[in-house]
Amino acid sequence: MRRNHLLAAAGVCSALIAYAVLARLAGRPVLVGHAVAYWVIVIERISVYGLLGVLFSFLLPGRTAVACSLVISVAIGLELAQLLIPDGVHAFTDVLQKTAGGIMGVLVAQTILSFLPRPPA
């Protein structure tokens, strides 16, 4: 049952990220306001993709490379999908920030999982 909850949470998190990335500029959700500092946006990207990395890592325990590749593919795929949007803002630094956040989330979750007791086989 726990796996179903993790799968649903990862799906909802992915859908919300896709909406936030692919929505029109006027319809995008904002964290603080319209005039935010750039570091707030960077922290927002890193934390959101970090959460996605944690969810993928808990969903796939012990498979660090698979979880990292999933987060990286989501970040690159959504950034490439922004090319199709007329007012989409895309940059290589965005991809680097998103993948760094996702990989940090995966590594944090794998560290947590390494300290948890394993269920009996």
Side-chain angles (χ1 to χ4, degrees), residues 86-107:
D87 59 352
V89 179
H90 48 278
F92 183 69
T93 57
D94 295 350
V95 175
L96 290 179
Q97 294 164 0
K98 293 172 182 178
T99 56
I103 291 172
M104 283 190 292
V106 168
L107 294 178

Side-chain angles (χ1 to χ4, degrees), residues 35-105:
V36 296
Y38 182 70
W39 63 271
V40 174
I41 297 170
V42 171
I43 290 173
E44 180 183 26
R45 285 182 191 138
I46 289 173
S47 62
V48 166
Y49 279 87
L51 175 65
L52 186 64
V54 166
L55 290 172
F56 281 157
S57 190
F58 280 148
L59 192 59
L60 303 163
R63 296 185 179 107
T64 307
V66 175
C68 285
S69 65
L70 277 173
V71 172
I72 291 170
S73 64
V74 167
I76 292 173
L78 287 176
E79 199 67 31
L80 289 175
Q82 275 187 335
L83 294 172
L84 304 174
I85 299 173
D87 59 352
V89 179
H90 48 278
F92 183 69
T93 57
D94 295 350
V95 175
L96 290 179
Q97 294 164 0
K98 293 172 182 178
T99 56
I103 291 172
M104 283 190 292

